[in-house]
Each structure stands twice: as C-alpha cells, then as structure tokens.
Amino acid sequence: AQKVTQTQTSISVMEKTTVTMDCVYETQDSSYFLFWYKQTASGEIVFLIRQDSYKKENATVGHYSLNFQKPKSSIGLIITATQIEDSAVYFCAMREDNTGNYKYVFGAGTRLKVIA
Amino acid sequence: DMKVTQMPRYLIKRMGENVLLECGQDMSHETMYWYRQDPGLGLQLIYISYDVDSNSEGDIPKGYRVSRKKREHFSLILDSAKTNQTSVYFCASSLRLSQNTLYFGAGTRLSVL
C-alpha cells in the first residue's frame, strides 16, 4: 500500500532564506507521481509542483524546486528566498500510475512559519 | 473558470442527525474525491468517484456514503452523524487520464455536537 510520511511538524525560518521540507514515500508501483500542495491560513489548498517518477531532472516552478532522490524514496520541497506569504502548511502527496485506482495519498503536513 | 465549489462552508449538527455535503465542479473532470482533514493526520481519503454511479471506498469510508448522479456533482452523506465525524471535509476533482493534479474546494467545516 502507498504511504507518504512527513516527519517535520513545524519549521520556522527567517525571511529571504532557503528552507527544505522533507517527505518520504512508499510504493510498489514502478511509476508514480509526487506532488506538493500548500494550504493557506484561509484553508485553501493549492497545487505547487509535481515530479514524475520517470524523470531524472528535479522539477522547478518559480521559487519552488524539488530534490528527488529516488533510491531513498524521498521528495524534498525547497523554497528559496522565502517570503512572509509562504507561511502555510505544506503537504506532500503521491499517486501511483499503474494501479488504476487514482488515489492521491497525503502526508500529515509541515507547518512553515516565515519570520520577518 | 476552473472551480470546485463546496456547500455549505460551515455546518453544525447534533449527533444522530443526517448530514449532506455537496460539491460541484465546472471542469468536466471524471474523477472526484472526498477527504477529511484532522489535526496531525493530514488529508484522509473517504471516497473516490470515477464517474456517474461509479464510486469506490477510500481509506476511511466507514460511516459515510456518497452519491454521484451527474458528472459535475458529488455528494457526501453522513447517516446519523457521530461526534467523531467533526472535521473539515474537502472535495477535489481531477482529470483521470493524465497525471494532472487535484483541484480542491474551499472545504466544509462540520461540527457534530
């Protein structure tokens, strides 16, 4: 069964610094998709960035990038030049490609606080 | 406009009452989901719907049922609500035949007293 684990409950960083949030996953599928989502203080959940398991290059979108280490089943989210508005809860998620069940499984989330 | 809409946003019910949570999307997505969010547990999958009248249990289906009679509309029903069903419920949708991401609604905060 697929599983996603985020061990960092909460992180605080100074504004304009770089932060990395950890995520490890478990799957028996040879092909899968990994996602990071952001939940703002209002409760809104938005998609940030995706990594396809067959791609070796780390995905990058704006000031978000991923550190995909397939042998370690790890997909870290890196936020560079953090801003106050990056303060939120960040969820890691996975969807297997070959099972046909289209289930997205989420980690418990990491709360990020960016301090001025 | 690509949107997932949930109604109501807030709901207070007494234990034993029936609860209906509604979700709509305007993107013609085949697949829709119901999740609940509790502190420290992240998002837990209750049900998936692959299309009209094609629903499947998620990881925590007990105490819930769903209905999907139109592609754009997906309902979550709690028959005789329990206090441990107090939670925030999120509906989401996605295109099945791609690795597309989920689009989430704004959530419904349900309190069962």
Side-chain angles (χ1 to χ4, degrees):
Chain A
Q2 53 190 109
K3 185 178 179 181
V4 175
T5 303
Q6 295 177 254
T7 56
Q8 300 159 304
T9 305
S10 180
I11 302 175
S12 292
V13 299
M14 298 300 294
E15 192 179 14
K16 301 178 185 175
T17 61
T18 296
V19 63
T20 299
M21 283 175 268
D22 300 328
C23 175
V24 293
Y25 57 90
E26 296 177 23
T27 180
Q28 301 300 317
D29 202 343
S30 59
S31 178
Y32 46 90
F33 307 106
L34 300 162
F35 306 85
W36 279 89
Y37 290 83
K38 173 184 179 181
Q39 185 174 35
T40 63
S42 68
E44 182 186 19
I45 301 173
V46 296
F47 164 72
L48 292 178
I49 192 169
R50 185 187 87 226
Q51 179 78 38
D52 300 343
S53 64
Y54 58 87
K55 290 186 177 178
K56 292 185 176 167
E57 310 80 35
N58 289 321
T60 298
V61 176
H63 75 144
Y64 302 107
S65 62
L66 297 177
N67 179 18
F68 181 40
Q69 299 185 62
K70 197 170 182 179
K72 294 184 179 181
S73 296
S74 171
I75 184 74
L77 173 68
I78 302 166
I79 307 177
T80 56
T82 52
Q83 304 160 10
I84 300 297
E85 51 267 33
D86 290 324
S87 297
V89 178
Y90 291 81
F91 291 101
C92 178
M94 175 175 65
R95 200 202 93 188
E96 294 172 336
D97 194 20
N98 295 319
T99 59
N101 63 23
Y102 301 97
K103 285 175 63 173
Y104 291 78
V105 175
F106 286 78
T110 297
R111 182 176 298 276
L112 174 66
K113 184 175 182 180
V114 181
I115 305 164
Chain B
D1 192 21
M2 294 163 36
K3 201 169 182 180
V4 178
T5 303
Q6 289 186 239
M7 294 293 289
R9 292 294 316 279
Y10 302 91
L11 188 59
I12 299 174
K13 288 286 193 178
R14 295 195 179 278
M15 190 170 60
E17 291 184 329
N18 298 330
V19 177
L20 173 64
L21 304 184
E22 312 220 56
C23 175
Q25 49 100 358
D26 60 3
M27 298 169 278
S28 296
H29 285 171
E30 310 97 331
T31 313
M32 296 185 74
Y33 305 76
W34 278 106
Y35 286 89
R36 65 176 279 176
Q37 183 179 25
D38 301 290
L41 295 180
L43 293 157
Q44 298 177 274
L45 180 62
I46 306 171
Y47 266 95
I48 304 173
S49 174
Y50 298 107
D51 214 324
V52 172
D53 285 331
S54 178
N55 305 318
S56 181
E57 293 181 347
D59 298 319
I60 54 163
K62 187 177 179 182
Y64 303 94
R65 60 183 175 95
V66 292
S67 174
R68 191 160 178 211
K69 298 300 182 185
K70 294 182 180 180
R71 176 172 279 192
E72 63 270 18
H73 191 251
F74 189 33
S75 300
L76 180 69
I77 300 133
L78 289 65
D79 295 314
S80 187
K82 299 172 180 54
T83 55
N84 62 7
Q85 292 178 308
T86 292
S87 188
V88 181
Y89 291 86
F90 285 95
C91 174
S93 72
S94 75
L95 277 172
R96 190 188 318 159
L97 293 179
S98 79
Q99 61 272 46
N100 264 2
T101 183
L102 291 174
Y103 291 84
F104 281 90
T108 295
R109 184 175 294 275
L110 171 66
S111 295
V112 182
L113 306 177

